[in-house]
Amino acid sequence: NHININPQDVKIQSLQVMDVSGKCIKNIMIGDENPIVVDIFDLKSGIYFVHLRCDKEIINRKFIKY
């Protein structure tokens, strides 16, 4: 019940987990951790989005919690 994120040549500053309505469920400031592990145990089953704020861009990814 966690997500592993392995940034490659990208420095991630923050991470947000959003539900399908756009509500921010988790907002995490990232230090120098590598890999980044996000606990999603407390999330209900459904579709979510991860927004990774990096130096020069924002990366968005979708995931499904069963």
Side-chain angles (χ1 to χ4, degrees):
N1 285 325
H2 60 276
I3 299 171
N4 290 320
I5 300 170
N6 294 305
Q8 308 244 344
D9 302 326
V10 175
K11 180 163 173 48
I12 298 174
Q13 298 169 342
S14 67
L15 177 148
Q16 292 180 320
V17 176
M18 314 288 276
D19 66 12
V20 291
S21 71
K23 180 180 175 187
C24 182
I25 306 298
K26 293 182 180 276
N27 189 17
I28 302 168
M29 299 305 293
I30 305 298
D32 291 330
E33 306 105 55
N34 195 4
I36 299 164
V37 179
V38 180
D39 182 14
I40 59 168
F41 179 77
D42 55 336
L43 298 182
K44 295 179 183 177
S45 296
I47 299 172
Y48 295 90
F49 299 90
V50 175
H51 298 271
L52 303 169
R53 186 173 306 275
C54 304
D55 291 331
K56 298 180 182 177
E57 63 184 327
I58 296 176
I59 301 169
N60 299 303
R61 296 290 183 262
K62 177 174 78 171
F63 72 93
I64 299 172
K65 165 101 188 269
Y66 292 98

